[in-house]
Amino acid sequence: MVTTTGISDRYRIETKQLDMPPRLLLGPGPANVNPRVLSAMSISPVGHLDPTYLALMDEIRDLLRYAWQTENELTISVSGTGTAAMEATLANAVEPGDVVLVGVKGYFGNRLVDMAGRYGGDVRTMTKPWGQVFSLEEIKTNLENHKPAILALVHAETSTGACQPLEGVADLCHQHGCLLIVDTVTSLGGVPLYIDEWGIDLAYSCSQKGLGCPPGASPFTMSSRAVEKLNNRPKPVPNWYLDMTLLAKYWGEQRVYHHTAPINSNYALRESLRIVAEEGLEQRWNRHQQNAEMLWSGLAELGLSCHVDREHRLPTLTTVRIPDGVDGKAIARKLLTEYNIEIAGGLGELGGKVWRIGLMGYNSRPENVLLLLDALEKVIK
Amino acid sequence: MVTTTGISDRYRIETKQLDMPPRLLLGPGPANVNPRVLSAMSISPVGHLDPTYLALMDEIRDLLRYAWQTENELTISVSGTGTAAMEATLANAVEPGDVVLVGVKGYFGNRLVDMAGRYGGDVRTMTKPWGQVFSLEEIKTNLENHKPAILALVHAETSTGACQPLEGVADLCHQHGCLLIVDTVTSLGGVPLYIDEWGIDLAYSCSQKGLGCPPGASPFTMSSRAVEKLNNRPKPVPNWYLDMTLLAKYWGEQRVYHHTAPINSNYALRESLRIVAEEGLEQRWNRHQQNAEMLWSGLAELGLSCHVDREHRLPTLTTVRIPDGVDGKAIARKLLTEYNIEIAGGLGELGGKVWRIGLMGYNSRPENVLLLLDALEKVIK
């Protein structure tokens, strides 16, 4: 018997069996997931050094390479949610004193600024009104002015619904000896994206949007150019959990223990990536585009307008202007409480001005568009 | 239609339906989990700002307070595995230049040294042979010599199986104006542990050992004394994802969005903590102790000896000396391939010298002890 005197029962609270409401998640993520993914997630865990788990890690790496269209050796899932993968990117790319140029045209650009600063970057910004994107000419001018070691851009701004064109950007960066970081949190699995063809050096994403998986294990990839910078650091990465010099030894052939991975989250991620490979990127990107266009037409019929120009509108995330005199929060609350449908309000500068509607991964289906438009019409009236 | 030219199918690999082997996980974790936990984990996710999810966060906080025996306001689950919670502890506690005294008597003491150094700590160590623990007198002397701002100790060393007595340590620390960090990764939920009564200022743990949950969301707690130090920092915490000044606003009444939490991992964590509360700490700690004693007796009958003195032996993790002339790795491999039982070898200094056998959470059951002893006898012969 062990000594157990003095145990307090103050927080030994009684709780009910978990019974979450059947939400249709049409906000900026998480989105609902294919039941196959939840089924894989609930398989009993094996050890993080079990040969069967190591084989699964290899499959995740390859399937991520397909989804991202890259041959990068260092393509892994980070053991945390998308923000952890974002932090991993900055922690491993930014060295103290590096000039880091960040394109800010929404909330997540600002987050890049904050994080890059915490890793000692000499952070410069170029800005655009929220909902717009940078032209190649603007990027060129800023690269020439700031001569950064790193340019960080958000491909799909989850706060604005705008898609930043990336073709040609890396060529400019590499001419200036600069690495290109791209946030693909709301594009991977839903929007055309070619890591290698576009020359992107570091990218991160999440599992719970275009990939159609619960949050918990998050895609990360790094080119050999970025690995070279990492290997030449005079001091260790100032973040042990996300240090890619250590993680590369666990994901690579050496299989050196680093930390206990979120086993079940990786079961789920594998299944969601498997579904991406079965469907194929071409069909998947077209499906997202078609369902988004169906949404945009329906919104127009309701007299609602989109915040982003058609040309740069993301199929995964649509920002809809809240009409004058309408209480946007009340509408979203009604959708949730009366119809179990989640949409989100604006973030930061767009707070109170837009709703954010996501059609991502498994949720990008015509029946969800129909239901949302119908419910929206009812609650707005 | 979107432009989809140039998609490469090189990594569009064909994979089979996920079919993991039915392992009995008797290593240092992860351990198997109650089916109730897997069932909760596979419930469809809701949003991270859904009122029902916010209520679940409150339940997790209270149930963690019970498991840890603390009233700390800042008691949360970190969105990553145990090492993320460890990193969160050091990132938020250690300021550049702080003298950090670390008790090193195993692998995870060394990890504390590495991490504390990355956050700018002036790291000092006190050491003991792996498998032993520090006396109160030794701790007192080292506190007087080093005058640290922080003392970090591992309660349950997963690499050695030794349990560090903690009563009286915090009093010494606080007399010297020093905070006490304790690693409770292999003790929470299996070994007597009283955060408040023992005066511990910061503690972290994992979900996949004594709590009986898959890895993915990890316990963290911080006393008001530690929060005060955090709030007096002149500069932001150099880790955005794990910055408790931001996380406190998401877990607290303000509910400010920080990152998308691993929703399903927290469903699972809640269920595992609920099971802890149902069983009660007294019964749970006694169960772990009794099954460990059954294991120790059985090992002695097989002629095997434990590495740690009886007095300081952990019930959750036992290190067994590999007899001379026995290939420890081969034995572990045979247990895995012939009987689907996972045990682990030694880490670091104890590599090749011991096996590590875990009886944790749901797996601490007499039938598992019987089966392991029987299988071990067969493969050793």
Side-chain angles (χ1 to χ4, degrees), chain A residues 80-329:
Chain A
T81 64
T83 307
M86 181 180 192
E87 182 117 20
T89 304
L90 295 169
N92 285 278
V94 178
E95 291 173 78
D98 277 351
V99 174
V100 182
L101 176 62
V102 181
V104 178
K105 50 183 175 48
Y107 178 92
F108 292 94
N110 281 329
R111 185 176 289 186
L112 280 165
V113 169
D114 187 343
M115 275 193 193
R118 292 185 195 223
Y119 286 97
D122 173 1
V123 184
R124 321 285 176 88
T125 58
M126 52 184 193
T127 59
K128 272 280 187 181
W130 288 31
Q132 296 184 26
V133 297
F134 298 98
S135 70
L136 210 50
E137 196 51 38
E138 289 166 331
I139 292 170
K140 186 161 178 274
T141 307
N142 276 282
L143 286 172
E144 284 162 0
N145 288 347
H146 294 289
K147 300 182 176 46
I150 294 163
L151 170 65
L153 290 176
V154 178
H155 184 211
E157 234 317 332
T158 323
S159 66
T160 69
C163 186
Q164 171 66 50
L166 292 169
E167 284 170 274
V169 175
D171 286 345
L172 292 175
C173 286
H174 298 157
Q175 282 161 25
H176 287 78
C178 162
L179 294 180
L180 177 61
I181 290 177
V182 175
D183 175 324
T184 70
V185 166
T186 302
S187 54
L188 180 63
V191 180
L193 175 58
Y194 301 87
I195 293 290
D196 287 0
E197 196 183 317
W198 292 351
I200 297 165
D201 293 298
L202 294 114
Y204 56 90
S205 192
C206 71
S207 58
Q208 74 270 8
K209 303 189 202 259
L211 297 182
C213 179
S218 301
F220 171 92
T221 191
M222 197 167 176
S223 71
S224 54
R225 195 184 276 111
V227 170
E228 200 187 325
K229 182 178 194 300
L230 174 63
N231 289 338
N232 286 330
R233 275 184 178 242
K235 292 176 88 176
V237 173
N239 186 320
W240 197 92
Y241 189 59
L242 303 174
D243 180 346
M244 288 297 152
T245 67
L246 303 176
L247 285 162
K249 290 178 192 158
Y250 176 44
W251 282 81
E253 283 173 22
Q254 296 154 284
R255 301 298 188 185
V256 179
Y257 161 64
H258 179 258
H259 71 281
T260 303
I263 310 294
N264 298 63
S265 295
N266 280 312
Y267 288 176
L269 182 60
R270 175 193 182 273
E271 190 66 19
S272 71
L273 289 168
R274 196 174 165 236
I275 291 169
V276 171
E278 285 172 13
E279 180 173 13
L281 288 176
E282 182 170 359
Q283 184 171 329
R284 196 170 180 94
W285 293 342
N286 278 317
R287 171 167 65 82
H288 278 81
Q289 185 67 27
Q290 283 156 13
N291 290 318
E293 286 177 10
M294 180 181 169
L295 172 68
W296 301 337
S297 303
L299 290 169
E301 281 170 31
L302 292 180
L304 295 167
S305 60
C306 291
H307 178 67
V308 176
D309 283 348
R310 179 103 190 184
E311 187 190 354
H312 299 118
R313 216 177 274 170
L314 277 173
T316 40
L317 196 281
T318 299
T319 41
V320 186
R321 293 204 181 111
I322 298 169
D324 286 341
V326 170
D327 180 347
K329 272 196 178 172

Side-chain angles (χ1 to χ4, degrees), chain B residues 94-100 119-122:
Chain B
V94 178
E95 290 172 79
D98 277 350
V99 175
V100 182
Y119 286 97
D122 173 0

Side-chain angles (χ1 to χ4, degrees), chain B residues 130-152:
Chain B
W130 288 31
Q132 295 184 26
V133 297
F134 297 99
S135 69
L136 209 51
E137 195 53 37
E138 289 166 331
I139 292 169
K140 187 162 178 273
T141 307
N142 275 282
L143 285 172
E144 283 162 1
N145 288 346
H146 295 289
K147 299 184 178 50
I150 293 164
L151 169 66

Side-chain angles (χ1 to χ4, degrees), chain B residues 13 55 72 140 166 187 245 300 354:
Chain B
I13 58 170
N72 283 343
K140 187 162 178 273
L166 292 169
S187 55
T245 66
V354 300

